[in-house]
Amino acid sequence: MGAAAPMALNLAGIQAAAAQTVVNDYRALVCVFLFGGMDQTSTLVPFDNAEFSAMSALRGGLARPRTDFMSLGSVASQGNRSFALATELSPLANLYAQNKLSIVANVGPMSAPLTKAQFQARAAGVPPQLFSHNDQQSVWQSSGVEGATVGWGGRFGDLLASNNSSNPVFTSVSINGTAVFLYGNTVQQFQVGSGGPARVSALNSLYGSSVAGQALRDILRSNPSPLFENHLGVVTRRSLDANAQLSDVLGQAASLQTPFPSGNSLADQLRMVARLISLRQSLGMRRQVFFVGLGGFDHHDGLLADLPGLHTQVAQAMSSFYDATVELGVANQVTTFTASEFGRTLTSNGSGTDHGWGGHQFVMGGAVNGGRIVGNYPTIALNTNEDLGRGRLLPTTSTSQYAATLGTWFGVPTNLLGDALPYINNFSVRDLGLFS
C-alpha cells in the first residue's frame, strides 16, 4: 500500500492536469497562521450603538472604548449591521475599503454541519480534542483527522505541481519552520529562513580543511545500498541542490522597493515570500503555496495590554506584503489569508479569555471580491444557538469550505476538491463567494 500511494497521487496529478486547461499564469496562496487562538471579539466588532453596548457589557473589564475602533460601515450581507475593526488594524481596514480584503466570519474546523443540540450530544462532526492547541492547529491545517501528516496546502500542491515542471521542489515553501499545512503525499515542503536558505558551512570547510569539506560532500552525495541510508542521501542531495539554486537566484534578484516595518518577524517572513515570488520565472513556478506565522495569541491574561501590539504587527506586515505584490505586478495572482487554531470566549476570565472554537479570518489580494463580510457574523450574546458556553462560538462556516473557496481560485479542479479536502462533500456550499 505504501508503494502504491505515490502512483495513486501521480495518476491524480495527471487527471488534474488533463482536467484544467494549460496554465500560463502564476498563482500563489499565502497562509498567515496566528498561533495561540486569536480573540475574534477584540478584532471585528458590531458597531451599531445597541450591539456595541451589549457586547461591552458582556466583555466587562476587557471592553475597549468605541474610539478604539475604525468603522467599516454597514454590511449588506449581514443584514446591514455595522461593523468595525480595532484601530491598530487600520491598514487592513483601508484595504477593506479599497475592496482588496474581505473577512470570513465564524469559521472553524468541523467535519459536517452541526447544530448546538448535535454538539451537546457529541454528534459526528465535532473535532477531536476541541480546545487543545496542538490538536486544533493540526486539524485546521490538515482539514482532516487528528494526527494527519499531510495538509490541504500540500494536497493542493500535489494536484497542481505539474505546472511547475522545472522545479516542483519550490511548490510548497515555509518561512516558519515545519507546518503540516504544506506537506502533501508527493509534494514536500521546502523550508527557508527570513534571510534566505540555510547554508551548511561544513561543506566548504570542515574543521578548517577544504579536503574534509569535499569528503563530506562526497559522502552526502553517494548512493549507499541500505534503503534508509539511500533515501537519506536522496533527500539530502535534493535539499543541497535546491539551497544552492535558490541562493544563486536570490543573489541575482532585484531588491524590493516596498518598505516593510522593522522589528516585525511576520513582516520579515512576508518580505521573503515576496522575494521568492519575484523569482517565479527564474524558478519556473506557476503554482506555489507559502506558510508564515506569528505566535503570542494565547491570551488567558494580558489581553488588553498585548493584543493591540500583535494586531499592529499583523496589519502592517500584511499591508506591506500587499503593496509588494502590487510592485511585482502580481497583486491579482496572490491571495493571502489568515488562520488560527480557534477563537476565544466572549466573557472574561479576569484579564483574558479562554479557548473557544469559531473565529474570524482575513482574506487579502487583488482578486478578492473585497469590502465584504462573508459567512454569518454571530449575535454577540450568551445562550444563543451559536453559544456553546461563555460565548464560545459554534462555527457556521467550516475550514473545509474556506479551503475549497481558496483552492478553486488557486486552480484545483472542482471534481478533485474531495481529494484534497476529505470532508468537503458533507457541505452543500463549496464557494463562499470570496472571488469575483
Side-chain angles (χ1 to χ4, degrees), residues 294-307:
L294 181 67
F297 289 89
D298 191 20
H299 285 117
H300 292 285
D301 53 33
L303 179 69
L304 289 177
D306 297 338
L307 185 59

Side-chain angles (χ1 to χ4, degrees), residues 256 260-262 266-276 321:
L256 283 171
F260 281 76
S262 60
L266 182 61
D268 293 340
Q269 294 171 60
L270 286 171
R271 182 194 291 112
M272 178 51 63
V273 173
R275 292 183 66 195
L276 293 173
F321 179 67

Side-chain angles (χ1 to χ4, degrees), residues 33-48:
F33 206 92
L34 308 176
F35 291 94
M38 185 174 70
D39 189 283
Q40 76 283 350
T41 315
S42 296
T43 302
L44 175 69
V45 301
F47 215 46
D48 294 306

Side-chain angles (χ1 to χ4, degrees), residues 165-185:
S165 56
S166 64
N167 248 321
V169 71
F170 297 118
T171 299
S172 181
V173 183
S174 174
I175 300 90
N176 192 256
T178 301
V180 69
F181 172 74
L182 290 177
Y183 277 109
N185 289 287

